[in-house]
Amino acid sequence: TGGYEAPLACALQAAGLAVAVVNPKRVRDFAKGVGSGAKTDRVDARVLAEFGQMLGRKPDLQHYLKPPVDEQTQDLAAWVTRRRQLLGMLLSERQRLEFSRPKVRPSIEAMIESIKRQLDQIDRQMQTHVARHHEELDRLLRSTRGIGPVTSATLIAGLPELGRLSGAAISALVAPMARDSGQKKGRRWIQAGRFEVRRVLYMATLTAIRSNTVIRAFYLRLVAAGKVKKVAIVACMHKLLRILNAMVRDHQPFHA
């Protein structure tokens, strides 16, 4: 519901209940699949109840449950979200500047400088917050070449399951999904999941391919085997996330 669900989810978790926060489209697709085309509050409540019962029977239920998140992690998530919003605003203003009339350019340039100052301030506040409340986890993650302060903060805030789930479950966020039918083998693709985590992990993987000996060797081996470069990059994302998950689980820094 765009954030309105957060207080309810926290209250239910505080009461000892298991909570799954799911994409509304998935529930709507489920409703269509069971022949429930109408949409009223009563129908929605019944469909949600049936969807919850279905999730409760899944062997990988733990994958869907929202882990309890403390106040410090919620604050960090707010910093990460605000940083992403500012980056979007900065991109929009730069695009407007390119095609603007000379008379309005000073206004756009002033806005760009203001957003840059806000970004610098957010970065400082975010790093101070991480150092104060998540120092050990941040140190673990950043022991890996390719993981910088922004990626570390985003993983801490946006992936609280890190170290708590299996490698297969955690890597499902970036693992390619099959598109096969009969003897046809379609190209794999990625959809849904946590976009912000996937975005920063992709950029971190590009850096790791250049500077991390383990990831670079894995990438070169895949390319030499004939894999398309984009496919090799996604496989490296998959591997990097599994490595980070194991590091957090075992409380061990990265070792080449």
Side-chain angles (χ1 to χ4, degrees):
T1 59
Y4 290 107
E5 79 285 349
L8 175 61
C10 291
L12 292 172
Q13 288 177 329
L17 296 173
V19 178
V21 178
V22 299
N23 189 317
K25 184 179 184 301
R26 293 189 175 184
V27 182
R28 195 68 227 144
D29 290 343
F30 173 81
K32 293 177 182 177
V34 296
S36 180
K39 190 180 188 321
T40 67
D41 290 347
R42 185 178 294 276
V43 170
D44 286 349
R46 178 175 54 78
V47 168
L48 284 168
E50 292 175 357
F51 187 83
Q53 290 172 349
M54 181 272 296
L55 281 186
R57 294 192 294 269
K58 289 181 69 66
D60 58 344
L61 172 63
Q62 194 66 31
H63 175 69
Y64 297 91
L65 297 184
K66 178 181 175 63
V69 179
D70 56 34
E71 188 173 351
Q72 290 77 23
T73 305
Q74 293 180 48
D75 289 341
L76 179 58
W79 290 125
V80 171
T81 298
R82 184 56 184 158
R83 187 180 189 276
R84 183 182 70 247
Q85 293 168 347
L86 288 171
L87 286 173
M89 294 163 60
L90 182 60
L91 176 61
S92 296
E93 289 298 293
R94 283 173 170 168
Q95 290 173 337
R96 293 187 185 104
L97 181 64
E98 185 176 357
F99 301 103
S100 64
R101 299 282 295 171
K103 291 291 185 181
V104 301
R105 285 182 181 175
S107 172
I108 299 176
E109 290 169 346
M111 182 61 72
I112 288 175
E113 290 304 314
S114 176
I115 294 173
K116 286 181 177 179
R117 288 193 296 271
Q118 282 286 313
L119 275 169
D120 290 339
Q121 182 179 348
I122 289 280
D123 283 341
R124 289 194 298 270
Q125 292 171 323
M126 192 166 66
Q127 290 176 29
T128 299
H129 183 88
V130 169
R132 182 177 301 166
H133 300 290
H134 307 282
E135 182 180 8
E136 182 180 355
L137 181 54
D138 179 58
R139 185 169 58 249
L140 273 178
L141 295 174
R142 293 179 62 182
S143 68
T144 308
R145 282 187 174 272
I147 304 296
V150 173
T151 303
S152 176
T154 304
L155 289 173
I156 294 171
L159 198 58
E161 301 94 338
L162 202 62
R164 304 179 187 180
L165 297 180
S166 67
I170 204 74
S171 64
L173 289 169
V174 298
M177 298 178 68
R179 296 184 77 176
D180 300 339
S181 178
Q183 306 215 352
K184 176 186 174 183
K185 300 293 182 182
R187 292 187 63 179
R188 270 51 176 164
W189 89 109
I190 295 175
Q191 66 176 17
R194 298 176 199 179
F195 169 76
E196 184 61 20
V197 172
R198 195 165 64 236
R199 186 181 69 86
V200 298
L201 190 62
Y202 180 84
M203 300 306 297
T205 301
L206 293 180
T207 302
I209 287 172
R210 294 194 299 269
S211 60
N212 187 309
T213 55
V214 173
I215 302 300
R216 179 170 177 77
F218 183 61
Y219 173 79
L220 293 176
R221 188 161 68 249
L222 292 175
V223 172
K227 296 293 184 183
V228 179
K229 289 185 177 180
K230 191 68 172 286
V231 172
I233 292 173
V234 172
C236 289
M237 289 172 61
H238 190 172
K239 185 176 183 67
L240 179 60
L241 188 55
R242 281 176 174 257
I243 290 173
L244 295 173
N245 187 62
M247 287 165 48
V248 175
R249 181 196 64 212
D250 300 335
H251 302 284
Q252 293 292 328
F254 180 84
H255 295 293

